[in-house]
Amino acid sequence: MTQPRRAFDDLVHLCPPPVGPLPAVDWAEAERALGTALPADYKQLVERYGDGLFDETVWLLVPDSAHGDRDLHAQTAERAEILAGLWDMGEESPAQLLEPGARVLPWAFEEGTGAFLYWLVRPGQHPDEWTVLYNEGRGPLWEHHDVGCVAFLLAVLTRTAQTEYFGYLYEVLQPQEHRFVTADELLGAPKQ
C-alpha cells in the first residue's frame, strides 16, 4: 500500500493543483456537522485542490461547497437517504456493511455515471484507516479498495487501480497529462 504522504506527493506531481488561494475550510465545524472526524489525507487533498474535477472524471466533494451537489454535507445526507431506500426495497448492501455500526460516507463521485466513492467507516476505526468503497450508482455493484482516498485517486489516475470501472477515463479520454479543474472554472463562480 502506498503511504499517505507519498501518495499525496505523487498526486501533486502527477496532477498539479490550482495556483492561488483556496477558500478555507472550518474542519472543526465540518466534522461536528458530520458527527465524525475526517481522514488527514482527505483534508490535505481539499486544502490543496479545493472543489473540482480530476481528469474530467472524479469530482471531489468538499465541505460547504458553493456548488450544492459537490457539497460533502449535502451529499452525505442525500446518499444516506438514497441508499437506505434502496436497501429497504431489497437491494443488497455491500458485505462490508454487515459489521454492526459500519456505514459509508461519500467523498467523491464519478462524472456522468451516478457512481460514488465512499469511505468505509467502521466502528472504533480511526478515520486515517478508512478504506474506499466504489458504488456503480445505477446498479447494486460495489467494489472495496483497501486504501485511503488519496491513494485510490492516484491509482485511478495512473491506471493502477484494480477496478472494473472508470471506463470513460481509461478507454475514451486516455489523458497524457493529468488535469484538475476547479468547480468555479467549470460551473462558474457562485453569485454572492
Side-chain angles (χ1 to χ4, degrees):
M1 180 188 322
T2 305
Q3 295 301 316
R5 180 69 204 169
R6 178 160 180 214
F8 184 78
D9 292 344
D10 289 350
L11 179 65
V12 168
H13 180 73
L14 178 75
C15 186
V19 177
L22 297 171
V25 174
D26 182 342
W27 291 111
E29 177 58 27
E31 292 173 331
R32 187 202 58 72
L34 291 168
T36 184
L38 292 167
D41 67 336
Y42 168 75
K43 292 178 186 180
Q44 191 175 28
L45 187 63
V46 169
E47 288 171 355
R48 190 71 182 265
Y49 286 89
D51 196 356
L53 182 66
F54 289 88
D55 281 354
E56 300 179 42
T57 304
V58 178
W59 275 102
L60 181 62
L61 300 176
V62 300
D64 301 317
S65 171
H67 305 279
D69 58 348
R70 276 87 176 146
D71 179 65
L72 179 66
H73 303 298
Q75 283 297 342
T76 296
E78 183 177 310
R79 299 312 305 164
E81 184 178 322
I82 288 169
L83 291 173
L86 290 170
W87 296 334
D88 285 347
M89 291 188 308
E91 187 173 295
E92 216 173 295
S93 67
Q96 291 81 4
L97 295 184
L98 295 176
E99 178 182 0
R103 64 187 176 103
V104 293
L105 185 67
W107 62 272
F109 66 89
E110 186 180 0
E111 173 68 14
T113 66
F116 270 80
L117 293 164
Y118 296 91
W119 287 293
L120 172 59
V121 179
R122 299 175 62 215
Q125 191 177 47
H126 190 277
D128 292 343
E129 298 173 329
W130 293 350
T131 56
V132 173
L133 279 170
Y134 176 101
N135 175 243
E136 68 178 335
R138 295 190 177 117
L141 300 180
W142 291 78
E143 270 185 356
H144 180 248
H145 298 271
D146 198 23
V147 294
C149 64
V150 170
F152 182 73
L153 179 58
L154 178 64
V156 167
L157 298 182
T158 58
R159 299 180 68 146
T160 59
Q162 299 296 309
T163 181
E164 298 293 320
Y165 301 102
F166 300 99
Y168 185 72
L169 174 65
Y170 297 158
E171 296 161 17
V172 177
L173 293 176
Q174 300 181 358
Q176 299 303 306
E177 292 183 15
H178 299 277
R179 189 164 173 239
F180 178 84
V181 181
T182 68
D184 286 355
E185 289 176 287
L186 289 168
L187 305 171
K191 295 179 181 170
Q192 299 295 333

